[in-house]
mmCIF file of all heavy atoms in Angstrom:
data_model
loop_
_atom_site.group_PDB
_atom_site.id
_atom_site.type_symbol
_atom_site.label_atom_id
_atom_site.label_comp_id
_atom_site.label_asym_id
_atom_site.label_seq_id
_atom_site.Cartn_x
_atom_site.Cartn_y
_atom_site.Cartn_z
ATOM 1 N N PHE L 36 -8.896 -2.603 74.641
ATOM 2 C CA PHE L 36 -8.222 -2.935 73.397
ATOM 3 C C PHE L 36 -8.911 -2.330 72.203
ATOM 4 O O PHE L 36 -8.177 -1.907 71.349
ATOM 5 C CB PHE L 36 -8.507 -4.466 73.270
ATOM 6 C CG PHE L 36 -7.384 -5.312 74.240
ATOM 7 C CD1 PHE L 36 -7.679 -6.827 74.313
ATOM 8 C CD2 PHE L 36 -6.636 -4.728 74.978
ATOM 9 C CE1 PHE L 36 -6.889 -7.311 75.144
ATOM 10 C CE2 PHE L 36 -5.824 -5.471 76.015
ATOM 11 C CZ PHE L 36 -5.911 -6.832 76.042
ATOM 12 N N SER L 37 -10.206 -2.258 72.259
ATOM 13 C CA SER L 37 -10.749 -1.544 71.217
ATOM 14 C C SER L 37 -10.530 -0.096 71.111
ATOM 15 O O SER L 37 -10.336 0.496 70.120
ATOM 16 C CB SER L 37 -12.279 -1.679 71.303
ATOM 17 O OG SER L 37 -12.767 -3.060 71.255
ATOM 18 N N ASP L 38 -10.445 0.570 72.177
ATOM 19 C CA ASP L 38 -10.283 1.997 72.287
ATOM 20 C C ASP L 38 -8.841 2.361 71.961
ATOM 21 O O ASP L 38 -8.450 3.314 71.189
ATOM 22 C CB ASP L 38 -10.756 2.559 73.660
ATOM 23 C CG ASP L 38 -10.727 4.129 73.675
ATOM 24 O OD1 ASP L 38 -11.201 4.593 72.613
ATOM 25 O OD2 ASP L 38 -10.410 4.632 74.675
ATOM 26 N N GLN L 39 -7.822 1.768 72.776
ATOM 27 C CA GLN L 39 -6.427 2.215 72.755
ATOM 28 C C GLN L 39 -5.616 1.341 72.015
ATOM 29 O O GLN L 39 -4.486 1.585 71.672
ATOM 30 C CB GLN L 39 -5.837 2.226 74.231
ATOM 31 C CG GLN L 39 -6.851 2.889 75.309
ATOM 32 C CD GLN L 39 -6.246 2.708 76.679
ATOM 33 O OE1 GLN L 39 -5.659 1.720 76.916
ATOM 34 N NE2 GLN L 39 -6.504 3.704 77.452
ATOM 35 N N GLY L 40 -6.226 0.190 71.638
ATOM 36 C CA GLY L 40 -5.340 -0.838 70.978
ATOM 37 C C GLY L 40 -4.763 -1.820 71.925
ATOM 38 O O GLY L 40 -4.579 -1.438 73.130
ATOM 39 N N TYR L 41 -4.431 -3.033 71.381
ATOM 40 C CA TYR L 41 -3.948 -3.986 72.363
ATOM 41 C C TYR L 41 -2.687 -3.826 72.911
ATOM 42 O O TYR L 41 -2.505 -3.872 74.174
ATOM 43 C CB TYR L 41 -3.859 -5.416 71.444
ATOM 44 C CG TYR L 41 -3.203 -6.516 72.167
ATOM 45 C CD1 TYR L 41 -3.836 -7.235 73.205
ATOM 46 C CD2 TYR L 41 -1.983 -6.932 71.805
ATOM 47 C CE1 TYR L 41 -3.176 -8.391 73.749
ATOM 48 C CE2 TYR L 41 -1.317 -7.975 72.318
ATOM 49 C CZ TYR L 41 -1.881 -8.632 73.383
ATOM 50 O OH TYR L 41 -1.266 -9.815 74.026
ATOM 51 N N GLU L 42 -1.718 -3.347 72.174
ATOM 52 C CA GLU L 42 -0.365 -3.110 72.658
ATOM 53 C C GLU L 42 -0.297 -1.997 73.779
ATOM 54 O O GLU L 42 0.542 -2.133 74.597
ATOM 55 C CB GLU L 42 0.631 -2.801 71.557
ATOM 56 C CG GLU L 42 0.142 -3.397 70.147
ATOM 57 C CD GLU L 42 0.721 -4.760 69.886
ATOM 58 O OE1 GLU L 42 1.498 -5.218 70.777
ATOM 59 O OE2 GLU L 42 0.322 -5.359 68.887
ATOM 60 N N LYS L 43 -1.182 -1.049 73.454
ATOM 61 C CA LYS L 43 -0.982 0.144 74.234
ATOM 62 C C LYS L 43 -1.717 0.023 75.656
ATOM 63 O O LYS L 43 -1.524 0.827 76.489
ATOM 64 C CB LYS L 43 -1.610 1.360 73.625
ATOM 65 C CG LYS L 43 -0.996 2.707 73.653
ATOM 66 C CD LYS L 43 0.310 2.780 74.120
ATOM 67 C CE LYS L 43 0.870 4.144 74.202
ATOM 68 N NZ LYS L 43 2.238 4.464 74.434
ATOM 69 N N THR L 44 -2.510 -1.133 75.696
ATOM 70 C CA THR L 44 -3.242 -1.350 76.931
ATOM 71 C C THR L 44 -2.477 -2.333 77.815
ATOM 72 O O THR L 44 -2.031 -3.294 77.392
ATOM 73 C CB THR L 44 -4.642 -2.107 76.670
ATOM 74 O OG1 THR L 44 -5.295 -1.128 75.738
ATOM 75 C CG2 THR L 44 -5.441 -2.344 77.881
ATOM 76 N N SER L 45 -2.166 -1.759 79.047
ATOM 77 C CA SER L 45 -1.451 -2.601 79.981
ATOM 78 C C SER L 45 -2.322 -3.457 80.925
ATOM 79 O O SER L 45 -3.550 -2.998 81.176
ATOM 80 C CB SER L 45 -0.545 -1.805 80.830
ATOM 81 O OG SER L 45 -1.247 -1.030 81.732
ATOM 82 N N LEU L 46 -1.867 -4.533 81.492
ATOM 83 C CA LEU L 46 -2.591 -5.331 82.381
ATOM 84 C C LEU L 46 -2.982 -4.547 83.674
ATOM 85 O O LEU L 46 -4.134 -4.756 84.268
ATOM 86 C CB LEU L 46 -1.863 -6.645 82.634
ATOM 87 C CG LEU L 46 -1.730 -7.568 81.459
ATOM 88 C CD1 LEU L 46 -0.916 -8.797 81.935
ATOM 89 C CD2 LEU L 46 -3.157 -8.058 81.029
ATOM 90 N N ARG L 47 -1.963 -3.662 83.921
ATOM 91 C CA ARG L 47 -2.230 -2.803 85.147
ATOM 92 C C ARG L 47 -3.479 -2.072 84.981
ATOM 93 O O ARG L 47 -4.338 -1.956 85.879
ATOM 94 C CB ARG L 47 -1.084 -1.917 85.329
ATOM 95 C CG ARG L 47 -1.048 -1.134 86.708
ATOM 96 C CD ARG L 47 -0.076 -0.014 86.660
ATOM 97 N NE ARG L 47 -0.070 0.787 85.386
ATOM 98 C CZ ARG L 47 -1.011 1.687 85.093
ATOM 99 N NH1 ARG L 47 -2.055 1.875 85.976
ATOM 100 N NH2 ARG L 47 -0.975 2.383 84.080
ATOM 101 N N GLU L 48 -3.592 -1.485 83.781
ATOM 102 C CA GLU L 48 -4.782 -0.606 83.440
ATOM 103 C C GLU L 48 -6.057 -1.521 83.531
ATOM 104 O O GLU L 48 -7.185 -0.933 84.173
ATOM 105 C CB GLU L 48 -4.614 -0.141 82.094
ATOM 106 C CG GLU L 48 -5.158 1.263 81.775
ATOM 107 C CD GLU L 48 -4.712 1.756 80.381
ATOM 108 O OE1 GLU L 48 -3.851 1.143 79.732
ATOM 109 O OE2 GLU L 48 -5.204 2.786 80.050
ATOM 110 N N ILE L 49 -6.157 -2.593 82.984
ATOM 111 C CA ILE L 49 -7.303 -3.523 83.109
ATOM 112 C C ILE L 49 -7.630 -3.644 84.599
ATOM 113 O O ILE L 49 -8.820 -3.660 84.941
ATOM 114 C CB ILE L 49 -7.067 -4.760 82.277
ATOM 115 C CG1 ILE L 49 -6.760 -4.438 80.868
ATOM 116 C CG2 ILE L 49 -8.277 -5.704 82.448
ATOM 117 C CD1 ILE L 49 -6.557 -5.700 80.037
ATOM 118 N N ALA L 50 -6.640 -4.119 85.278
ATOM 119 C CA ALA L 50 -6.904 -4.492 86.647
ATOM 120 C C ALA L 50 -7.376 -3.265 87.596
ATOM 121 O O ALA L 50 -8.330 -3.404 88.321
ATOM 122 C CB ALA L 50 -5.650 -5.119 87.356
ATOM 123 N N GLU L 51 -6.870 -2.197 87.236
ATOM 124 C CA GLU L 51 -7.102 -0.940 88.073
ATOM 125 C C GLU L 51 -8.565 -0.653 87.757
ATOM 126 O O GLU L 51 -9.441 -0.414 88.713
ATOM 127 C CB GLU L 51 -6.449 0.140 87.388
ATOM 128 C CG GLU L 51 -6.146 1.330 88.348
ATOM 129 C CD GLU L 51 -5.080 2.184 87.856
ATOM 130 O OE1 GLU L 51 -5.126 2.797 86.682
ATOM 131 O OE2 GLU L 51 -3.906 2.318 88.556
ATOM 132 N N ARG L 52 -9.048 -0.857 86.482
ATOM 133 C CA ARG L 52 -10.526 -0.529 86.286
ATOM 134 C C ARG L 52 -11.411 -1.557 86.919
ATOM 135 O O ARG L 52 -12.670 -1.198 87.254
ATOM 136 C CB ARG L 52 -10.751 -0.591 84.790
ATOM 137 C CG ARG L 52 -12.068 0.068 84.343
ATOM 138 C CD ARG L 52 -12.230 0.085 82.783
ATOM 139 N NE ARG L 52 -11.629 1.113 82.156
ATOM 140 C CZ ARG L 52 -12.223 1.751 80.989
ATOM 141 N NH1 ARG L 52 -13.098 1.077 80.451
ATOM 142 N NH2 ARG L 52 -11.586 2.694 80.444
ATOM 143 N N LEU L 53 -10.952 -2.737 87.236
ATOM 144 C CA LEU L 53 -11.720 -3.750 87.900
ATOM 145 C C LEU L 53 -11.676 -3.620 89.334
ATOM 146 O O LEU L 53 -12.382 -4.269 90.136
ATOM 147 C CB LEU L 53 -11.252 -5.086 87.392
ATOM 148 C CG LEU L 53 -11.804 -5.560 85.992
ATOM 149 C CD1 LEU L 53 -10.804 -6.644 85.392
ATOM 150 C CD2 LEU L 53 -13.229 -5.951 86.008
ATOM 151 N N GLY L 54 -10.763 -2.889 89.913
ATOM 152 C CA GLY L 54 -10.681 -2.708 91.309
ATOM 153 C C GLY L 54 -9.736 -3.700 91.946
ATOM 154 O O GLY L 54 -9.735 -3.666 93.283
ATOM 155 N N PHE L 55 -8.997 -4.400 91.178
ATOM 156 C CA PHE L 55 -7.937 -5.279 91.986
ATOM 157 C C PHE L 55 -6.677 -5.124 91.233
ATOM 158 O O PHE L 55 -6.456 -4.551 90.259
ATOM 159 C CB PHE L 55 -8.472 -6.613 92.004
ATOM 160 C CG PHE L 55 -8.963 -7.359 90.793
ATOM 161 C CD1 PHE L 55 -8.183 -7.516 89.689
ATOM 162 C CD2 PHE L 55 -10.357 -7.712 90.746
ATOM 163 C CE1 PHE L 55 -8.686 -8.103 88.551
ATOM 164 C CE2 PHE L 55 -10.798 -8.411 89.543
ATOM 165 C CZ PHE L 55 -10.047 -8.509 88.450
ATOM 166 N N SER L 56 -5.749 -6.011 91.551
ATOM 167 C CA SER L 56 -4.240 -5.817 91.252
ATOM 168 C C SER L 56 -3.981 -6.692 90.011
ATOM 169 O O SER L 56 -4.805 -7.742 89.530
ATOM 170 C CB SER L 56 -3.381 -6.251 92.304
ATOM 171 O OG SER L 56 -2.572 -7.338 91.890
ATOM 172 N N LYS L 57 -3.013 -6.264 89.287
ATOM 173 C CA LYS L 57 -2.506 -6.880 87.990
ATOM 174 C C LYS L 57 -2.445 -8.318 88.176
ATOM 175 O O LYS L 57 -2.788 -9.075 87.213
ATOM 176 C CB LYS L 57 -1.166 -6.205 87.629
ATOM 177 C CG LYS L 57 -0.696 -6.584 86.378
ATOM 178 C CD LYS L 57 0.576 -5.727 85.988
ATOM 179 C CE LYS L 57 1.691 -5.984 86.981
ATOM 180 N NZ LYS L 57 3.105 -5.492 86.436
ATOM 181 N N ALA L 58 -1.799 -8.807 89.254
ATOM 182 C CA ALA L 58 -1.456 -10.156 89.437
ATOM 183 C C ALA L 58 -2.641 -11.082 89.429
ATOM 184 O O ALA L 58 -2.662 -12.272 89.116
ATOM 185 C CB ALA L 58 -0.642 -10.484 90.593
ATOM 186 N N ALA L 59 -3.693 -10.454 89.825
ATOM 187 C CA ALA L 59 -4.995 -11.161 89.920
ATOM 188 C C ALA L 59 -5.458 -11.791 88.603
ATOM 189 O O ALA L 59 -6.043 -12.864 88.431
ATOM 190 C CB ALA L 59 -6.108 -10.355 90.621
#
Side-chain angles (χ1 to χ4, degrees):
Chain L
F36 289 171
S37 299
D38 189 41
Q39 313 174 329
Y41 171 72
E42 333 273 354
K43 216 21 177 183
T44 303
S45 70
L46 294 177
R47 185 193 54 72
E48 210 170 352
I49 296 173
E51 212 163 58
R52 197 181 271 210
L53 284 162
F55 52 61
S56 120
K57 183 176 64 164

